[in-house]
Amino acid sequence: MAILSDTQGKLFRPFTFSSEKDFEACVVQLADQIFGSSTIYIDVKRRVKGNDIVTIPDGYLIDTTEPSSPKLFIVENEIVSHDPFKHIGIQMLRFVTSFEDAQLSVRNFLMEELAKQKNNLEQFEQAARDAGSRNIDAYLDQAVYGDFRGLVVIDEARPELHKVLEKINANISVLELKAFEDDQKQRLYLFDTLYDEEEEP
């Protein structure tokens, strides 16, 4: 069992998330660090229908790390206790299958969500200007109307999860987020990032 220690000798032991809600709150809290400061994490669960399939992703990530090539990721936040095939694999397959038919509705509610958060909207407007886009509507279209990209953020990425996702013919990445807690319930986090530091501009 891995244990972390700070410089004062305080010990932090592995913390097991008992609920997906608690885990999702950590993802939201650490979004800039995990995904990068040039991304906008939209923490909203909205029913999306495409090809007669109804899906409810956990969130959406608008990535403007390369301003001229904005990207949209469909995000699924999971805890390892969920079955990698019955829950995670099938959920991601549903997202992939319905995505193209649902792009218009996704694009419309993402614009609504951007407008609700001044900081997010200003960041997106600046990225659009940096890219030389004629307006933010066209810039969002560029991000949404592309190939499917998915992200699974999970507290333990076991080999069976990777095997299941490899069977889905889509661009799906897995990021691991682990928590450690001391006796006073203070936490430290160990996580993968969407990009290595040297990859960011």
Side-chain angles (χ1 to χ4, degrees), residues 144-200:
V144 173
Y145 290 102
D147 294 333
F148 177 88
R149 292 180 177 85
L151 281 174
V152 176
V153 185
I154 192 166
D155 56 341
E156 184 182 347
R158 293 178 178 174
E160 52 265 37
L161 172 62
H162 292 284
K163 288 180 181 178
V164 168
L165 295 179
E166 285 173 2
K167 300 298 183 182
I168 302 174
N169 187 24
N171 183 348
I172 303 173
S173 300
V174 177
L175 301 178
E176 197 172 59
L177 165 59
K178 292 179 176 290
F180 296 80
E181 196 170 79
D182 68 4
D183 293 337
Q184 285 74 48
K185 306 299 182 182
Q186 293 181 315
R187 290 185 192 174
L188 293 178
Y189 298 98
L190 178 67
F191 51 84
D192 297 325
T193 56
L194 183 59
Y195 298 111
D196 292 334
E197 288 186 6
E198 57 268 23
E199 291 183 286
E200 295 196 50

Side-chain angles (χ1 to χ4, degrees), residues 96-183:
V96 172
T97 305
S98 63
F99 179 69
E100 186 173 344
D101 198 44
Q103 284 173 316
L104 178 59
S105 61
V106 169
R107 178 242 181 268
N108 289 341
F109 79 70
L110 285 179
M111 185 58 78
E112 292 175 7
E113 293 299 324
L114 282 169
K116 291 178 183 178
Q117 299 291 332
K118 182 181 178 181
N119 290 343
N120 286 347
L121 183 59
E122 289 177 349
Q123 179 180 338
F124 192 68
E125 289 173 336
Q126 183 60 55
R129 286 192 292 271
D130 292 343
S133 184
R134 66 179 184 274
N135 54 49
I136 61 172
D137 289 280
Y139 195 55
L140 184 59
D141 286 348
Q142 192 179 346
V144 173
Y145 290 102
D147 294 333
F148 177 88
R149 292 180 177 85
L151 281 174
V152 176
V153 185
I154 192 166
D155 56 341
E156 184 182 347
R158 293 178 178 174
E160 52 265 37
L161 172 62
H162 292 284
K163 288 180 181 178
V164 168
L165 295 179
E166 285 173 2
K167 300 298 183 182
I168 302 174
N169 187 24
N171 183 348
I172 303 173
S173 300
V174 177
L175 301 178
E176 197 172 59
L177 165 59
K178 292 179 176 290
F180 296 80
E181 196 170 79
D182 68 4
D183 293 337

Side-chain angles (χ1 to χ4, degrees), residues 8 11 22 26 31 35 74 77 80-81 86 92 97 110 115 146 166 181 184 195-196 200:
Q8 283 74 46
L11 300 180
D22 186 17
C26 292
F35 305 125
I74 307 301
N77 300 314
V80 71
S81 58
K86 293 181 180 178
M92 293 306 297
T97 305
L110 285 179
E166 285 173 2
E181 196 170 79
Q184 285 74 48
Y195 298 111
D196 292 334
E200 295 196 50

Side-chain angles (χ1 to χ4, degrees), residues 79-98:
I79 52 179
V80 71
S81 58
H82 286 170
D83 187 286
F85 176 74
K86 293 181 180 178
H87 189 93
I88 305 173
I90 290 178
Q91 184 78 313
M92 293 306 297
L93 182 59
R94 289 166 69 90
F95 296 158
V96 172
T97 305
S98 63

Side-chain angles (χ1 to χ4, degrees), residues 41-64:
Y41 184 64
I42 307 294
D43 177 36
V44 60
K45 290 180 172 62
R46 181 78 69 91
R47 288 167 59 90
V48 176
K49 184 176 181 180
N51 290 325
D52 294 323
I53 298 173
V54 176
T55 62
I56 309 177
D58 289 324
Y60 300 82
L61 185 74
I62 301 172
D63 177 13
T64 63

